Amino acid sequence: MKILELEIEGFHSLRKVVWQPGDLNITIGRNGSGKSNLLRSLELISACVQGKLANYISAAGGMKALVWNGQSDKISFRLKTSFEPASGEEDAPKKIFVYNVVLVTSDNTSGYQIEKETLIYFKNNDVEHVSSMLLQMEDSKATIFNYKQEPLQLGKVESFGQESILRFAAKSLTKEQFPLIFSYAEGFKQWHIYPSLQAGCSFSDTLNLAKLYIDYDVNEDFKEQVDASMRAAFGNDFDYLEFVLDEQGSIKNWGVRRKTSPILIDASTLSDGTLRYLFFLLVFLAPIHSSLLAIDEPETGLHPYIAGIVAELATHAARHNPVFLTTHSPEFLSAFDKDSLPTITFSRQVKGETKLNVLDPARLRYWLKEYSLGQLFMSGQLENMALDDDEEME
């Protein structure tokens, strides 16, 4: 799944933004400019599709804590995505979807309701002509359409609680009758968003040990990539990861084996940076790729050299599915060059709202003939490019 365009209004500092990301995306900007809110907006969309909207809004402190400046009475998003043809179907058209949802606040601080929801399908990005309405909810009435474009009334919206009609349709209806709705919703199950991986969080808890063990033990390619990446970061003395199982087959202990020592380096003694790095190996090299991966400041807690390896892993992962990162690190940015140039979005806050500028890649490549991305970041040149773009638009 590739995001072609995201339009979001009324969410945190995102009063009204339209964003066209690429495959590998890095958002930069000063503290408080709204970088993390961009990732959180992806979290909101994922929660809406997967039937976790009520929990997401409750955990955030209610709608009033989410709306722009605490003043807006609604949050809306419009997400345009494309799905590449499956293997063996290269001649088939791309599947283009546009999903639109409007959430409105209710009388209390935490309450909300879904005021509008639509899902539209287009072939070959022909948004002017060929389209199919897959789902529509307006005026408190919900309708979905099968593969013959025959409408099916779902009744009053009140009966679906505070979750999306899309979630109900994907969970309750058959794949045979509603293949497009089903495949669209399935794509969000592999969205992995980490908007707050800051230093000090427990990566022994964050790291999915069961998945790491299964992938490492079963998939030889994954094991080779993890071992090579660990040696790149920590030297050739690294030998392999070892997992100790109990009689029930559960992980009792695990750690690192070194070539020069007979002792298992217990995971409890590994640094937070090492655990963090293992976490990135798991998410970037996973045999089953994410359909979207978003991480806030991945360089936090890592040595600059290791952060550079993480940048290479992100570039590798973006060949399969979109990657979204934020950073403050010039060393991390310098790991990318004109041949692995990400889409750079500059975020800044003006009068309480976030403004986004996607920097011109041709202009960036010109500057990269003489300077690194990190140098351009430290000198303020990247910020100047964004301001220049604003002046040209005016």
Side-chain angles (χ1 to χ4, degrees):
M1 177 191 293
K2 179 178 181 179
I3 296 180
L4 302 177
E5 186 172 270
L6 171 62
E7 181 177 347
I8 187 158
E9 294 187 35
F11 179 74
H12 284 306
S13 63
L14 308 177
R15 185 179 187 183
K16 185 174 182 179
V17 299
V18 179
W19 187 39
Q20 295 175 333
D23 295 326
L24 174 60
N25 303 273
I26 299 181
T27 304
I28 61 174
R30 301 180 184 181
N31 291 330
S33 64
K35 301 185 303 297
S36 298
N37 289 338
L38 203 53
L39 301 193
R40 292 189 182 101
S41 72
L42 298 175
E43 261 195 317
L44 172 71
I45 295 169
S46 178
C48 188
V49 175
Q50 297 188 65
K52 301 175 182 179
L53 186 59
N55 289 339
Y56 177 85
I57 291 177
S58 176
M63 276 287 286
K64 288 295 184 182
L66 292 175
V67 297
W68 178 76
N69 208 24
Q71 299 175 1
S72 178
D73 60 354
K74 65 177 61 178
I75 297 170
S76 68
F77 65 80
R78 178 182 177 274
L79 180 70
K80 182 181 178 183
T81 55
S82 69
F83 288 72
E84 295 295 329
S87 178
E89 300 179 357
E90 284 75 11
D91 294 334
K94 288 183 179 181
K95 296 177 180 178
I96 308 294
F97 295 88
V98 176
Y99 185 46
N100 181 215
V101 171
V102 178
L103 307 174
V104 296
T105 58
S106 59
D107 293 337
N108 56 62
T109 57
S110 61
Y112 71 94
Q113 65 182 22
I114 300 177
E115 181 181 72
K116 178 182 178 181
E117 182 181 0
T118 59
L119 178 63
I120 307 173
Y121 166 67
F122 303 92
K123 288 183 180 178
N124 282 331
N125 206 20
D126 188 0
V127 296
E128 297 296 330
H129 302 101
V130 183
S131 65
S132 301
M133 179 68 72
L134 302 179
L135 178 152
Q136 185 174 35
M137 190 279 284
E138 289 184 296
D139 300 325
S140 298
K141 293 181 181 180
T143 307
I144 59 174
F145 301 84
N146 64 16
Y147 67 98
K148 295 181 179 180
Q149 276 289 280
E150 298 169 337
L152 174 63
Q153 299 293 331
L154 297 183
K156 292 289 185 179
V157 172
E158 290 83 354
S159 61
F160 302 106
Q162 292 185 302
E163 300 300 339
S164 66
I165 306 302
L166 176 57
R167 168 61 178 169
F168 168 81
K171 182 179 179 181
S172 306
L173 304 174
T174 66
K175 181 179 180 179
E176 290 70 26
Q177 280 189 307
F178 303 92
L180 291 173
I181 290 178
F182 190 89
S183 64
Y184 182 75
E186 283 288 300
F188 286 84
K189 290 184 178 180
Q190 294 302 318
W191 275 34
H192 297 295
I193 303 167
Y194 307 96
S196 56
L197 292 182
Q198 304 305 323
C201 72
S202 176
F203 275 85
S204 58
D205 295 332
T206 302
L207 190 61
N208 187 333
L209 278 182
K211 179 170 173 52
L212 178 61
Y213 163 67
I214 292 171
D215 288 346
Y216 192 80
D217 186 61
V218 173
N219 191 294
E220 188 63 30
D221 287 341
F222 177 73
K223 181 181 185 303
E224 288 179 2
Q225 290 181 79
V226 169
D227 290 349
S229 298
M230 289 294 285
R231 292 186 190 107
F234 303 111
N236 288 328
D237 192 32
F238 171 85
D239 198 1
Y240 60 91
L241 300 177
E242 182 173 311
F243 298 85
V244 182
L245 308 182
D246 60 22
E247 294 179 355
Q248 288 72 41
S250 299
I251 299 173
K252 181 171 65 175
N253 194 21
W254 72 285
V256 170
R257 286 287 183 185
R258 291 178 176 168
K259 296 176 182 178
T260 57
S261 174
I263 301 173
L264 176 69
I265 310 301
D266 192 274
S268 64
T269 67
L270 297 177
S271 70
D272 189 72
T274 301
L275 292 171
R276 186 182 185 91
Y277 182 64
L278 276 168
F279 168 82
F280 290 136
L281 295 184
L282 177 60
V283 296
F284 284 128
L285 297 176
I288 300 176
H289 297 288
S290 302
S291 58
L292 181 145
L293 182 61
I295 302 174
D296 195 20
E297 298 179 25
E299 76 281 357
T300 304
L302 297 180
H303 186 278
Y305 172 74
I306 295 179
I309 300 175
V310 171
E312 294 177 12
L313 294 171
T315 301
H316 169 82
R319 295 171 188 163
H320 304 283
N321 285 295
V323 174
F324 297 83
L325 308 171
T326 71
T327 189
H328 286 293
S329 168
E331 293 86 1
F332 184 71
L333 284 169
S334 291
F336 302 94
D337 57 28
K338 58 183 175 57
D339 296 321
S340 61
L341 185 63
T343 298
I344 302 290
T345 300
F346 186 79
S347 171
R348 61 194 178 94
Q349 193 164 122
V350 180
K351 296 181 180 179
E353 60 180 289
T354 294
K355 302 288 187 180
L356 300 177
N357 293 84
V358 176
L359 303 186
D360 180 4
R363 192 175 177 191
L364 280 173
R365 286 191 176 91
Y366 171 81
W367 282 97
L368 288 175
K369 293 177 183 178
E370 300 290 337
Y371 304 96
S372 70
L373 269 177
Q375 290 172 323
L376 294 175
F377 175 71
M378 288 295 292
S379 68
Q381 183 60 35
L382 296 182
E383 184 170 357
N384 290 337
M385 289 184 195
L387 295 175
D388 289 347
D389 288 344
D390 271 359
E391 289 177 1
E392 289 178 9
M393 289 179 64
E394 292 174 0

